[in-house]
Amino acid sequence: MKQESRDKSAALSLSDLNDLVLAVINNQDQGIVVLDKHGNVVIWNNWMDDWTGIAGTRSAGRCFEALVPGIIGSEYARAIKEAIDAGKSVGWSQDLDSQRLDVIETSMTRGDRLLPLSRVSVAPLPVNGGQGCMLEFAEAAFNPVHLRSASGPEYLSGKAVEQAPASDQFPVYLASSDAAMLSLDSSGIIRDVSDTLLKQTGYSRQQLLDTPVRMLFPALSEHYDIEDYRALIEERLRQSSDRVIEAATLHGQPRAFRVAVYASTIRDDLFVLLCEDFSSQSGAQNTIKRQREMLAAVFGQVADGIALIDRDGLIEQINPVGLAMLGIRVGQEQGVPVETVIAMQDGRGKSINPGHEALSCGSVYTTPDDTFLQVQSQEPTRISATAIPLRDRDNSLTGCILVYRLIEQARRVSSRLSWQSDHDPLTELPNRRFLENQLAKALEAARSSEQTHVLLYIDLHNFSLVNDTGGRVAGDTLLFECGKLLQQVVGVDHLVARIGNDEFAVLLLNCMVEQAREIIEDLLVKIKAFSFPWQERRLKIGVNIGVEVIDHNTSSEHDVLVSAAASCAAAKDSGRNRVFFRQQRDEGLVSRKAGEWIPKISEALEQGRFRLHYQPIVAINGGVKDYSHFEALVRMVDESGQLVAPGEFIPAAELYGLIDDIDRWVVRQVITELSAKKLSKKPELRIAVNLSGATISDERFKDDLLKLIDESKMNPHQLQFEITETAAVRQFDRALDLIHALKAKGCYFSLDDFGSGLSSFAYLKELPVDFLKIDGGFVHNIELNDVDYSMVSTINHLAQVMGIATIAECVENQAQLTILEQIGVDYAQGFFIATPQPMEKFFP
């Protein structure tokens, strides 16, 4: 009896132990998956639920490749097979294998993660009496640590690296000294590090040992396939006058070291870097730099030109208004002698150089009254200029600041207003208006001189998530840094513009197609390596790029912008950091020039050639279709009487600012039909109307709509408005005000395309909507894709908790409808339910 009691106690202890192990695994800040010998999932922790969107309850016992079919046939799938069949371990890191990690992330997630993968490992593991494996995933982008496999050796880039023997370490008298040192092999792998350097950088010894030196010195990251790193570092030091290389601390802060290279006394295949902290010595230089940046910021908002000049008379920076006065773009002035850019003469034609005078005399210099600014292709302009010397703490001359202003007040104001109208105030880059003017000039040059230009339409991936997590200040800072990065990549010969909230454009002037491809590849490399430090986090974004060629066949600047935007959308559909390069336009696109839609849409509005079709939204209740809830969908009738699908004219209407006119027409028409005698007698009838972001942002729309509802005497309960997730987030305050005002009247609201951006979850509890319309992209393959199934189930559960009804759109077959019913979705809409038809088809 006592023995039986002891057995039960042991069994309970084992059960408790299993629960404890699972609890520990589920609370890890990295993904852990355990597979058995057949590749079936045994363990799938909570981190993986969040990362992939696949619930652990749905993954248990299922084949890993069936859960994530995107990895089938990939290098990662082969690594898993080798771990199970041959007991081999492998590990990949962001430092060495960023492309491999991008492939894995794209295959296993929707591509909307804010932080990139930092490392992935596959290690053999005994499971259920057979040989299985364990998979690990981590997103610690700012603090990558080296992977150690269960079998002992360490792995980098899929290749085993044996543990360094004890003899590789520094002698005790060096390791305990105040010297900051690194011991490296010829491949640039850190074999030992002194305590002093660890203290200065904040790393632990385990984080640096056997990792690439470029983890500590990111400036060496562009060289990842060098066999002789000692030669590389020595060459880098020869290029630096002060032999300084900038390091990155554990928390991403820059720290300058003056570096010397020595042969190792321990082994011939090792060498030593002696690192002297140079940060304090460079403090004075950094102070001067900050002072000059502050000067540029202070004078950036005045109607005067400001030039910062170094002690050699070379231009460091000119403020935006100063550039506009000189007729040049950002970057074209840097490093150029001041007199070649800012050419001044007195009334007798004698050259004047205020900067040279201030630097020579070390005192303030002011130009005479009759001074004129000479700008190429313009009449001389009368100006006044003052040059003020700049000095450091030791009173040594470090440069000067040159202020030049137009004498005529009207022209000063005109210059400032002209710059403001053509530039984005946040990034100080040219705006869409300026870009369109430059496109027109580029098109003229292409026709007259057979030049070829290339337009890049760039959309930032994950920008909305940066805004959500870091706030508006983080988003604004990120946009500014992205603008600087684009300018650095393309150089001063090409144009960079900000043309939307998170959209940029690059106009590559007089650029052949192959040259453009090289620039795009370089840009993608820089974007992948770019990370954005914010507070305690390091954020990462991606881009999607649409490319259009401008040549003598291009019809107009409007067409090329629309085509580039469409190409960008096509790139976005295929994932993150993708490019859609269409050198030759489709015949269908050529036949319907986007610019031609402006008069077509305007004429259709004037002549009343728009029609409404209605698509039912039915409750899912055993297949009974109750047609009392509809969405109003607009159609245009062309000159020949044929219906034009919205996909053809809506994008052009949004681009050219006509979408709000269409929205207003639809709202008036729906209210008119609901006020008619036939429909006004159906109180159960409800019609949903889509509102665009442009309409929501219109300050007059709310008051006009409320007035229209009052004057029509209609029943407001029959009216429902739909706003997209993206529009609600970007116009949050305006959307919230509109929702409150219309709901007070009795109208309903739904949030359309929910889940498409995954950015509105945080806002959902603040938006008093009645319905969530689940994005059709999830419904389209719900019967085939577990991730889509999980997304729909998660959104539906969230809505139920909040008391919000759900509508699944784009339902195309019975299998989808059955799954939605099983999940518990409230309503369904799509071609399988009914196609859009005029209202008389439903109510004869």
Side-chain angles (χ1 to χ4, degrees):
M1 186 69 179
K2 291 182 180 180
Q3 178 65 39
E4 183 180 351
S5 177
R6 284 196 297 269
D7 291 343
K8 289 183 179 179
S9 175
L12 289 173
S13 298
L14 181 60
S15 175
D16 291 342
L17 180 60
N18 288 336
D19 291 342
L20 178 61
V21 170
L22 287 175
V24 170
I25 291 174
N26 276 324
N27 281 281
Q28 295 295 302
D29 59 355
Q30 64 180 19
I32 296 177
V33 176
V34 175
L35 307 180
D36 64 17
K37 63 182 178 180
H38 303 295
N40 297 327
V41 175
V42 177
I43 293 176
W44 182 281
N45 75 341
N46 291 341
W47 191 97
M48 292 297 296
D49 290 4
D50 178 64
W51 189 62
T52 63
I54 303 174
T57 54
R58 289 180 53 80
S59 63
R62 297 192 59 183
C63 176
F64 182 70
E65 290 188 350
L67 285 173
V68 284
I71 71 163
I72 295 177
S74 68
E75 184 180 16
Y76 186 57
R78 291 193 294 272
I80 294 173
K81 180 175 175 56
E82 289 184 356
I84 295 175
D85 295 345
K88 292 184 178 180
S89 297
V90 68
W92 295 321
S93 69
Q94 180 69 34
D95 290 322
L96 295 178
D97 312 283
S98 59
Q99 291 186 345
R100 284 170 168 163
L101 266 58
D102 281 347
V103 170
I104 294 173
E105 183 175 354
T106 302
S107 301
M108 298 183 65
T109 72
R110 291 180 55 84
D112 51 16
R113 299 295 296 182
L114 184 58
L115 295 175
L117 279 176
S118 170
R119 58 184 175 90
V120 169
S121 70
V122 182
L125 187 72
V127 178
N128 296 335
Q131 178 67 62
C133 70
M134 181 171 69
L135 317 179
E136 292 182 271
F137 308 84
E139 276 187 330
F142 60 92
N143 184 21
V145 295
H146 190 61
L147 297 177
R148 299 177 184 272
S149 72
S151 57
E154 300 183 354
Y155 286 79
L156 285 171
S157 191
K159 298 180 180 178
V161 179
E162 297 297 333
Q163 291 278 7
S167 60
D168 287 353
Q169 298 178 349
F170 289 123
V172 174
Y173 70 90
L174 283 179
S176 60
S177 72
D178 292 334
M181 294 177 294
L182 284 172
S183 177
L184 308 175
D185 64 18
S186 59
S187 299
I189 303 299
I190 299 174
R191 293 308 184 186
D192 199 9
V193 56
S194 68
D195 291 338
T196 301
L197 189 59
L198 294 176
K199 292 178 182 178
Q200 292 173 343
T201 61
Y203 285 99
S204 67
R205 188 176 303 277
Q206 289 73 22
Q207 288 173 319
L208 289 182
L209 282 182
D210 302 308
T211 61
V213 68
R214 60 179 176 276
M215 177 176 170
L216 189 60
F217 293 107
L220 303 175
S221 61
E222 58 195 69
H223 305 282
Y224 55 85
D225 56 354
I226 302 297
E227 295 181 359
D228 188 356
Y229 249 81
R230 178 175 179 178
L232 166 66
I233 295 174
E234 289 177 337
E235 175 62 26
R236 180 62 183 265
L237 294 175
R238 281 193 292 270
Q239 297 173 0
S240 173
S241 58
D242 48 13
R243 301 180 67 81
V244 169
I245 302 180
E246 191 172 86
T249 68
L250 173 65
H251 301 293
Q253 300 298 321
R255 189 153 191 166
F257 288 96
R258 178 178 281 141
V259 178
V261 184
Y262 298 96
S264 172
T265 59
I266 302 171
R267 279 176 42 182
D268 293 338
D269 59 342
L270 300 180
F271 64 98
V272 175
L273 300 186
L274 182 63
C275 305
E276 177 189 0
D277 189 0
F278 192 66
S279 300
S280 59
Q281 300 179 43
S282 60
Q285 298 176 8
N286 292 335
T287 300
I288 294 171
K289 181 180 179 182
R290 286 194 297 270
Q291 288 174 344
R292 298 188 180 191
E293 290 176 346
M294 180 183 67
L295 285 172
V298 168
F299 289 102
Q301 300 303 316
V302 299
D304 298 327
I306 308 292
L308 296 174
I309 304 169
D310 67 16
R311 61 186 176 186
D312 297 321
L314 303 179
I315 296 176
E316 291 183 351
Q317 186 178 358
I318 298 178
N319 73 329
V321 173
L323 292 172
M325 293 168 62
L326 300 171
I328 60 178
R329 294 197 301 272
V330 175
Q332 292 181 321
E333 82 286 5
Q334 294 177 355
V336 179
V338 61
E339 64 272 11
T340 63
V341 177
I342 309 176
M344 301 182 191
Q345 292 182 352
D346 61 17
R348 294 170 295 176
K350 181 182 177 181
S351 296
I352 301 175
N353 190 337
H356 177 73
E357 296 293 336
L359 291 171
S360 300
C361 304
S363 60
V364 176
Y365 177 85
T366 302
T367 58
D369 292 339
D370 58 342
T371 301
F372 294 87
L373 178 66
Q374 304 286 332
V375 178
Q376 188 176 8
S377 303
Q378 295 183 18
E379 291 293 324
T381 305
R382 191 178 178 187
I383 66 168
S384 68
T386 301
I388 306 166
L390 297 174
R391 299 178 182 275
D392 60 17
R393 292 180 180 178
D394 299 325
N395 204 35
S396 297
L397 201 62
T398 62
C400 72
I401 180 171
L402 175 63
V403 182
Y404 52 101
R405 64 181 59 182
L406 301 174
I407 297 297
E408 299 177 21
Q409 177 66 20
R411 296 192 65 176
R412 290 179 62 195
V413 175
S414 175
S415 176
R416 178 63 186 169
L417 293 178
S418 176
W419 182 87
Q420 288 179 329
S421 66
D422 287 336
H423 288 76
D424 169 49
L426 173 62
T427 62
E428 297 186 348
L429 293 173
N431 57 18
R432 179 183 287 268
R433 171 181 165 176
F434 188 90
L435 175 66
E436 289 179 347
N437 291 335
Q438 295 301 307
L439 282 172
K441 294 178 181 179
L443 182 56
E444 183 179 346
R447 290 169 178 168
S448 61
S449 60
E450 295 294 324
Q451 288 185 357
T452 298
H453 317 286
V454 179
L455 177 66
L456 312 184
Y457 196 106
I458 302 172
D459 177 77
L460 299 186
H461 184 90
N462 268 349
F463 174 72
S464 60
L465 290 180
V466 172
N467 256 345
D468 289 345
T469 56
R472 182 175 179 179
V473 176
D476 288 350
T477 306
L478 175 60
L479 290 172
F480 184 79
E481 294 298 327
C482 286
K484 286 173 56 179
L485 177 64
L486 292 175
Q487 288 180 305
Q488 292 170 2
V489 172
V490 305
V492 299
D493 295 330
H494 308 297
L495 174 67
V496 178
R498 183 187 176 200
I499 57 175
N501 184 47
D502 55 356
E503 295 169 334
F504 293 83
V506 174
L507 178 58
L508 302 175
L509 296 165
N510 197 16
C511 180
M512 300 304 293
V513 174
E514 290 306 315
Q515 181 185 358
R517 291 183 188 275
E518 294 176 1
I519 293 175
I520 294 169
E521 290 176 2
D522 186 30
L523 175 59
L524 287 177
V525 170
K526 294 294 194 301
I527 288 290
K528 289 179 180 179
F530 172 76
S531 59
F532 176 56
W534 187 256
Q535 298 176 351
E536 298 300 321
R537 308 185 69 182
R538 183 168 289 272
L539 309 179
K540 192 174 180 68
I541 63 165
V543 295
N544 296 103
I545 305 176
V547 187
E548 288 296 322
V549 176
I550 303 171
D551 53 27
H552 63 278
N553 293 319
T554 305
S555 60
S556 74
E557 64 272 18
H558 300 295
D559 289 335
V560 74
L561 255 177
V562 173
S563 298
S567 296
C568 183
K572 193 173 184 179
D573 288 341
S574 61
R576 184 178 64 181
N577 292 330
R578 299 294 190 268
V579 179
F580 190 85
F581 199 120
R582 185 174 60 213
Q583 185 173 351
Q584 300 295 331
R585 293 181 184 82
D586 298 333
E587 291 299 324
L589 188 60
V590 173
S591 64
R592 283 190 177 274
K593 301 299 184 184
E596 296 176 2
W597 283 112
I598 301 177
K600 290 186 178 195
I601 295 172
S602 300
E603 290 174 3
L605 285 167
E606 293 173 0
Q607 300 172 8
R609 285 192 282 104
F610 279 97
R611 300 289 183 270
L612 287 182
H613 283 192
Y614 297 87
Q615 187 172 37
I617 301 172
V618 302
I620 303 178
N621 51 8
V624 177
K625 298 178 180 179
D626 178 17
Y627 291 158
S628 60
H629 192 176
F630 297 84
E631 179 181 0
L633 302 170
V634 67
R635 303 289 188 263
M636 190 174 83
V637 180
D638 63 17
E639 295 86 344
S640 64
Q642 299 298 313
L643 287 179
V644 181
E648 296 190 49
F649 64 87
I650 290 295
E654 291 176 337
L655 180 66
Y656 297 120
L658 296 173
I659 189 64
D660 51 342
D661 292 330
I662 295 177
D663 282 352
R664 286 174 176 269
W665 182 91
V666 172
V667 170
R668 286 195 303 269
Q669 187 64 24
V670 168
I671 290 178
T672 299
E673 294 191 14
L674 286 174
S675 302
K677 185 176 181 180
K678 180 169 61 175
L679 298 185
S680 63
K681 294 181 178 180
K682 299 181 180 297
E684 76 285 355
L685 178 65
R686 186 180 307 147
I687 296 179
V689 179
N690 290 281
L691 299 180
S692 66
T695 300
I696 295 171
S697 64
D698 186 346
E699 297 179 356
R700 301 168 300 174
F701 177 73
K702 181 186 72 174
D703 293 336
D704 293 346
L705 178 56
L706 293 174
K707 181 180 179 182
L708 183 61
I709 292 174
D710 289 339
E711 292 177 349
S712 68
K713 307 298 183 182
M714 62 159 291
N715 181 1
H717 292 288
Q718 292 182 299
L719 197 56
Q720 177 178 319
F721 293 97
E722 293 187 3
I723 56 177
T724 66
E725 171 189 359
T726 303
V729 171
R730 291 184 178 176
Q731 307 285 342
F732 182 75
D733 292 337
R734 194 67 58 78
L736 189 61
D737 182 46
L738 180 66
I739 293 173
H740 281 304
L742 290 175
K743 284 183 70 66
K745 282 285 184 183
C747 301
Y748 293 87
F749 261 90
S750 63
L751 198 56
D752 200 6
D753 296 338
F754 191 84
S756 59
L758 292 179
S759 58
S760 62
F761 280 102
Y763 296 96
L764 185 57
K765 60 184 178 182
E766 306 294 335
L767 292 170
V769 296
D770 305 286
F771 299 91
L772 287 187
K773 294 196 74 172
I774 302 171
D775 184 65
F778 299 123
V779 179
H780 181 65
N781 289 316
I782 191 172
E783 74 273 32
L784 304 173
N785 191 300
D786 287 317
V787 176
D788 289 342
Y789 179 96
S790 299
M791 286 299 302
V792 173
S793 179
T794 300
I795 293 172
N796 186 71
H797 176 71
L798 174 66
Q800 288 179 342
V801 170
M802 301 184 70
I804 302 173
T806 51
I807 302 171
E809 53 187 1
C810 301
V811 179
E812 298 177 351
N813 56 55
Q814 182 61 53
Q816 294 171 357
L817 187 63
T818 301
I819 292 174
L820 293 170
E821 185 176 0
Q822 292 171 349
I823 291 175
V825 174
D826 299 299
Y827 297 89
Q829 176 184 359
F831 285 172
F832 181 71
I833 307 297
T835 59
Q837 298 287 339
M839 184 59 76
E840 52 266 26
K841 295 289 186 178
F842 300 101
F843 298 102

